[in-house]
Amino acid sequence: MANEPTKTSTPQTKTKLVLDILIFIVFLVAMDPHSSGIAIHEWLTLASLAALTLHLLLSWDWIVEITQRFFKKIGTQTRINYVLNWLLFIFGTLVMVSGILISEAALPSLGIRLPQGFFWRRLHDMSANLVLLLLGLHTALHWSWIVKTFDRYIFQPIAAKFSTSKPKDVSA
Amino acid sequence: MKTFGRILIILTAFTVLGGLMMWVGNANGVNSPSFARNSGEAEFRPLQGDEDGQEGSRPPREVGEDHEGREGRGSFGGRWVFSLIKNVGVISVLVVAIVLPKSIIKKKRKAPVSPA
Ligand code: HEM
C-alpha cells in the first residue's frame, strides 16, 4: 500500500496482490448485474465480504498507525488516503446494506422477504456509482504500489521464464 | 485470537454503520413502496407481483429489464463488454488524472535547478 509506514513481508504483499485483483474482478462483475444475473450478483457480492474483511486485516497496522497519528504530523497524501479509505468503507457498507434490503434472490432463498422500496434501489445504484469513483481514486493513490508489485510478482517472473539470461533478483 | 478480535471489530463497524443507515432511511419513511414521506398517504402503485399479495412487493420489471440478460437492454454479448469498458474507463481516467500530474511534479522537482 502506498504511504505504508510499516514494511509488510513479501508473502503478505503477494497475498494482498492476489486478493486485490480478486476484489477488483468481483467489483466489475457486480457493477453489471444485468449480464451476470441477479443471483450471481447477490451471492458473489455477499461472499466478497470475506475478501474485503481480509483486505482490511492485511492493512490493519497501517489503519491503526494512521488513526493514532491522524491529528499529528503526517503527510498530506497519507491524510487524503485515510479519509478516502473511510469514505470507501462508508459507501461500501451502504451498497451492501441497500443491496441486502432490495435482495431478490439471496434473502428470499433464506425465507426472508422484505418490502421492496424504491428509495433503497435508488440508493443502491447511486452508492455503487460513488464506490466506482472512490475505487478509481483509491487505485490512483496506490498506483506506485500496484506497478511495483505487478512488476515484481507478475511481469518479472514471466520475463524470466522467456529470457535465456539469468533472472533478476526479485527478493528486494 | 488477535485476528479474531480484529475481524470482530470490522464486522461490528459494518453492522453498526449499516444499522444506522437502515434506521435513518426507514425513520424518514422513504422506504415505503410509494416513496411517500407520510405513511398515512395512499399507495399510488397497486399491489401486485407477490403471491401472497404482500404490501410493498416489487413491481414487475419493464420490458428490457431482465437481469438474466436474455431480453436485456441491448444484446447480452455486447452489454457486458460495454459495461466493462465503461467501468474500467472511469477508473482509468481517474488514475491518469491523478498519477500523471503527480509524476510531472515529481520530475520537475528532481530536475537540476539551472544556475541563475
Ligand atoms: C460490491 C457490492 C455491490 C455492488 C457494487 C452492486 C452494484 C449494483 C449495480 C450497479 C446495480 C444496477 C442498478 C441498476 O440497474 O440501476 C445493482 C442492482 C442490484 N443489486 Fe447490487 N451491488 C452490490 C451488492 C449487492 C448485494 C449484497 C445485494 C443483495 C444481497 C445486491 C442486490 C441487487 C439487486 C436486487 C439489484 C437490482 C435492483 C433493481 O432492479 O433496480 N447488490 N447492484
Side-chain angles (χ1 to χ4, degrees):
Chain A
M1 211 183 247
N3 311 314
E4 211 155 351
T6 46
K7 255 205 173 330
T8 48
S9 63
T10 309
Q12 222 183 55
T13 309
K14 211 173 182 174
T15 311
K16 265 187 186 180
L17 179 69
V18 173
L19 194 69
D20 290 355
I21 292 172
L22 198 83
I23 292 170
F24 188 68
I25 293 169
V26 168
F27 182 76
L28 289 178
V29 175
M31 284 304 284
D32 190 16
H34 301 269
S35 299
S36 65
I38 209 72
I40 290 177
H41 174 80
E42 293 187 12
W43 287 113
L44 195 69
T45 49
L46 284 173
S48 75
L49 270 176
L52 292 167
T53 305
L54 192 57
H55 178 85
L56 292 178
L57 282 178
L58 290 171
S59 302
W60 193 263
D61 293 340
W62 185 89
I63 297 167
V64 171
E65 198 164 342
I66 304 303
T67 304
Q68 287 167 347
R69 284 171 37 196
F70 190 75
F71 293 107
K72 292 173 193 162
K73 229 183 153 192
I74 51 167
T76 312
Q77 192 180 317
T78 310
R79 190 166 274 133
I80 292 171
N81 208 349
Y82 183 81
V83 172
L84 200 80
N85 287 344
W86 267 107
L87 287 176
L88 206 51
F89 183 74
I90 291 167
F91 287 102
T93 304
L94 188 56
V95 181
M96 287 288 181
V97 169
S98 55
I100 290 167
L101 289 174
I102 60 167
S103 172
E104 293 170 21
L107 256 64
S109 79
L110 299 172
I112 304 165
R113 278 182 179 275
L114 300 170
Q116 300 278 325
F118 284 118
F119 171 70
W120 291 112
R121 284 176 64 193
R122 291 267 340 250
L123 211 61
H124 187 63
D125 188 28
M126 275 163 52
S127 51
N129 287 323
L130 210 74
V131 168
L132 176 71
L133 294 178
L134 290 170
L135 195 69
L137 296 175
H138 186 75
T139 309
L141 290 181
H142 293 96
W143 191 246
S144 61
W145 182 88
I146 294 168
V147 171
K148 255 185 256 166
T149 316
F150 255 84
D151 186 48
R152 184 177 296 173
Y153 294 107
I154 295 174
F155 300 139
Q156 279 190 26
I158 290 173
K161 274 219 163 109
F162 288 102
S163 75
T164 46
S165 59
K166 245 179 132 185
K168 266 189 190 176
D169 179 20
V170 292
S171 62
Chain B
M1 200 61 206
K2 206 167 74 177
T3 308
F4 182 71
R6 288 174 180 180
I7 293 173
L8 220 64
I9 292 172
I10 294 167
L11 293 181
T12 306
F14 176 78
T15 311
V16 169
L17 200 63
L20 210 73
M21 286 164 180
M22 271 174 70
W23 180 70
V24 170
N26 291 331
N28 290 332
V30 281
N31 195 32
S32 65
S34 59
F35 208 159
R37 294 209 151 257
N38 188 337
S39 52
E41 281 175 33
E43 166 68 276
F44 79 89
R45 180 162 46 82
L47 298 177
Q48 53 186 321
D50 218 17
E51 310 92 55
D52 44 11
Q54 191 187 346
E55 188 179 352
S57 58
R58 200 184 188 292
R61 286 191 191 288
E62 288 167 25
V63 177
E65 235 199 338
D66 181 12
H67 272 299
E68 306 310 320
R70 278 175 242 112
E71 286 276 315
R73 296 175 205 131
S75 71
F76 173 68
R79 200 199 154 92
W80 74 267
V81 176
F82 172 76
S83 165
L84 189 73
I85 292 171
K86 187 206 90 189
N87 293 323
V88 173
V90 169
I91 293 172
S92 307
V93 166
L94 286 167
V95 169
V96 171
I98 291 170
V99 173
L100 211 68
K102 249 172 74 178
S103 75
I104 291 170
I105 292 169
K106 216 172 164 184
K107 264 186 201 156
K108 271 193 181 164
R109 274 200 197 138
K110 267 189 186 168
V113 186
S114 56

